[in-house]
Amino acid sequence: MSISGAIRGGLALALLGLAGFSGWTFSLPAATPTAEAPAVPPEEAAAMLAVLRQEGDDRPVIAVVGLNDATETNDYIATTGILRRADIADVVMLAAGPGAVRLYPALRVQPDATIAAFDAGRPQGADYVIVPAMSRDDDPVVMAWLQDQFRKGARIIAVCAGAKVVAAAGLLDGRRATTHWYYRAEMLERNPGIDYAANRRMVFDGKVVTTTGITAVMPMMLTLIEAIGGRSKAEAVARDLGVDGWDARHASAAFAMTRPFAITVLANRLAMWNRDSWGIDLQPGLDEVSLALVADAWSRTYRSQAVTLSGNTAAVESLNGIHILPDSGHDGWPAERRLPISPDERPADALDRALETITDRYGEATANVVAMQLEYPR
């Protein structure tokens, strides 16, 4: 085939692909419907607290597990940071193997222990296991460990698409559950025995709890704090986070693939010549929940990536003892390309400010794409 023929053939395929994409795009709804989050019956909320309540006087152990190659940023960091600031349990960050945990879409952290080391030191298992979204749902080490922890009596809390991991381990068969809106159809197709529960940010069935998308971490962790430490403790942490309420109300219909979402993602992806890196200075005592929310948001625009900065390669310890590894040195990083994390700003306010700044920089459509990925009811 001649070069010109190959080019014509390539163009024809590209046009066919574009036509197919266009057809798919215009088949999507023009917008998500305006939806009201229905009230959650008080008895349902009370039942969840009862399931999560710790029996006995021993200080509970909560294990947050992750894969080393890609675990969701907020699912891993914010869960730990929120629980540790409550000081109602020993919270341990675990990794499937040795070495750092590279988070998605931003940040790297040094875990407290491997799964194997945790098992050696605590053969009776954790009291609670938090399962974030991971790069793969069927890692054999994680699968076997989750099944073992469940057999030993741990309550399993899957945040965001961590529900797919728990489902792959066989722990959601025949149970009510939810997950991130984007992965719901995939999870139900793979696991048809799951009873999907709409209009709930958190769903429990027996000793297994699941949540909707990423920002459901905050109400879920506050619910767990309330179950273990009481209402007043949860209220104090909520004030510290800038969260007004943490019940299970959720308008599921407000989160879905739409035409504006798809078009904005495509346009931002195609603008390959216009990519930004935004630096975040790592300072000892930095609020890790604010860091996770801001870095996650700025790394989901399809136009930008958050990068952590430090004067050396050593891990920096956050406010609640999470060891965050820098991506780059801060020397020469321009001031106008830095994202401030203020110690005086509450994490929920930091997220709102990030979305406002993303709007100013990239437009409302991109900010909406970020909020939709975070499943954040703005």
Side-chain angles (χ1 to χ4, degrees), residues 37 52 104 109 132 162 200 218 265:
L52 292 172
Y104 177 85
V109 299
R200 293 291 187 273
M218 289 188 281
V265 169

Side-chain angles (χ1 to χ4, degrees), residues 79-137:
T79 50
T80 303
I82 293 170
L83 290 169
R84 283 185 178 171
R85 70 209 302 142
D87 193 26
I88 43 82
D90 294 331
V91 186
V92 186
M93 303 177 80
L94 303 181
V101 173
R102 180 173 293 279
L103 301 170
Y104 177 85
L107 308 182
R108 291 183 305 136
V109 299
Q110 190 65 47
D112 300 313
T114 62
I115 284 174
F118 176 82
D119 286 347
R122 189 175 171 86
Q124 70 269 40
D127 297 295
Y128 304 86
V129 173
I130 295 174
V131 186
M134 301 180 193
S135 57
R136 56 178 294 190
D137 304 332

